[in-house]
Amino acid sequence: MFDDLLALFFPESCFACDGVLARGEKYICTKCNVKLPYTDFHVHGATELNPLQRRFWGKVPVRFAFSYFTFQNKGSVQRLLHQLKYKGAKELGVHLGQRYGSILQDHHYHEQFDLIVPVPLHKQKQRKRGYNQSAHFALGLAAAMEVPTVSNILVRTINTSTQTRKDRLNRWQNVEQVFEVKKPETIAGKHVLIVDDVLTTGATLEACAVALFNAGASEVSVVTIAAA
Ligand SMILES: [Zn+2]
């Protein structure tokens, strides 16, 4: 009864549409859950039918490239990411990770991965925000697939926030240098799943993959919440 009273005065709202959540709904309302732009990338695996996979061809040999959603400007996914990144909705990240993780598990991908590593924030940015949104998505994935996750292996050595205006090539060259692998023995010979919140150019994930390969990872896959 206390919960009901609480819900009456402080109704929880949907992270995707801001509408009031009904009883039994959590984080995202049923209507939004039906309409969200889910991908079928995991159905196609590493084949050419997976458009995200194709984007890494000729760049860096990722084993699998998956994304839970397609990113659309001004859409519900953008609202979800905004809540996760700037409004402290860490539990939403874990929730989405658990949901996508169980889909990946249903397709037996959990047997492939040895370790889940989130794309790090620069420590200044992390201090300011208080958390790394990608690490929370990684926690959910890890729980659903029963694969360990570690967030102190990959570190960002340069703050890239001032680079947004630079052209793509310059940006890639700059980004390439900014990731460093600590404790390479932890990833040596392992298939590492790198986790990010959103993929736009793919430059960040490429740079992470290169850093992990250079440090001795045997295989690298990538997964994001949304891909543009
Ligand atoms: Zn909704």
Side-chain angles (χ1 to χ4, degrees):
M1 190 176 127
F2 182 69
D3 282 349
D4 286 348
L5 272 177
L6 213 65
L8 190 64
F9 293 109
F10 305 100
E12 284 187 69
S13 45
C14 169
F15 282 124
C17 72
D18 213 28
V20 174
L21 289 176
R23 246 190 118 110
E25 289 178 342
K26 190 89 181 143
Y27 308 119
I28 302 172
C29 74
T30 309
K31 218 168 141 188
C32 286
N33 266 330
V34 172
K35 286 191 303 189
L36 282 166
Y38 303 103
T39 77
D40 60 357
F41 300 167
H42 48 274
V43 176
H44 301 298
T47 70
E48 59 182 18
L49 294 172
N50 175 351
L52 195 59
Q53 194 79 31
R54 288 204 306 268
R55 287 172 62 174
F56 287 94
W57 287 1
K59 290 176 182 163
V60 61
V62 298
R63 182 74 184 87
F64 298 107
F66 297 137
S67 179
Y68 193 15
F69 304 118
T70 303
F71 183 83
Q72 292 149 334
N73 264 330
K74 297 186 163 80
S76 48
V77 171
Q78 191 181 35
R79 281 194 293 274
L80 287 178
L81 289 169
H82 185 81
Q83 297 291 331
L84 173 61
K85 261 176 110 158
Y86 304 111
K87 301 288 178 185
K90 293 179 268 190
E91 73 278 25
L92 172 67
V94 178
H95 172 70
L96 293 173
Q98 282 173 331
R99 282 171 50 169
Y100 198 41
S102 52
I103 292 170
L104 294 177
Q105 173 149 35
D106 286 345
H107 288 79
H108 301 284
Y109 291 113
H110 61 292
E111 296 159 3
Q112 301 269 348
F113 311 129
D114 298 311
L115 201 60
I116 300 176
V117 173
V119 171
L121 297 177
H122 188 269
K123 61 174 187 274
Q124 276 172 5
K125 198 184 250 182
Q126 170 133 6
R127 208 176 297 137
K128 212 173 144 198
R129 189 174 297 168
Y131 62 97
N132 174 358
Q133 70 281 0
S134 301
H136 284 81
F137 184 54
L139 280 174
L141 289 167
M145 294 196 286
E146 297 183 335
V147 175
T149 181
V150 281
S151 51
N152 57 352
I153 297 290
L154 199 58
V155 293
R156 208 186 267 263
T157 53
I158 303 170
N159 198 338
T160 49
S161 60
T162 53
Q163 294 191 349
T164 41
R165 282 165 191 273
K166 295 192 179 161
D167 66 75
R168 206 197 145 198
L169 186 69
N170 269 332
R171 214 175 144 192
W172 197 83
Q173 283 165 343
N174 284 318
V175 142
E176 189 184 19
Q177 307 301 329
V178 303
F179 293 101
E180 205 179 290
V181 175
K182 304 277 177 194
K183 303 183 209 156
E185 65 275 11
T186 316
I187 60 145
K190 301 239 167 95
H191 184 170
V192 180
L193 176 64
I194 317 172
V195 174
D196 207 356
D197 53 351
V198 60
L199 181 148
T200 44
T201 65
T204 303
L205 284 164
E206 277 170 55
C208 288
V210 169
L212 288 164
F213 276 128
N214 287 342
S218 61
E219 288 191 286
V220 170
S221 292
V222 301
V223 61
T224 62
I225 299 174

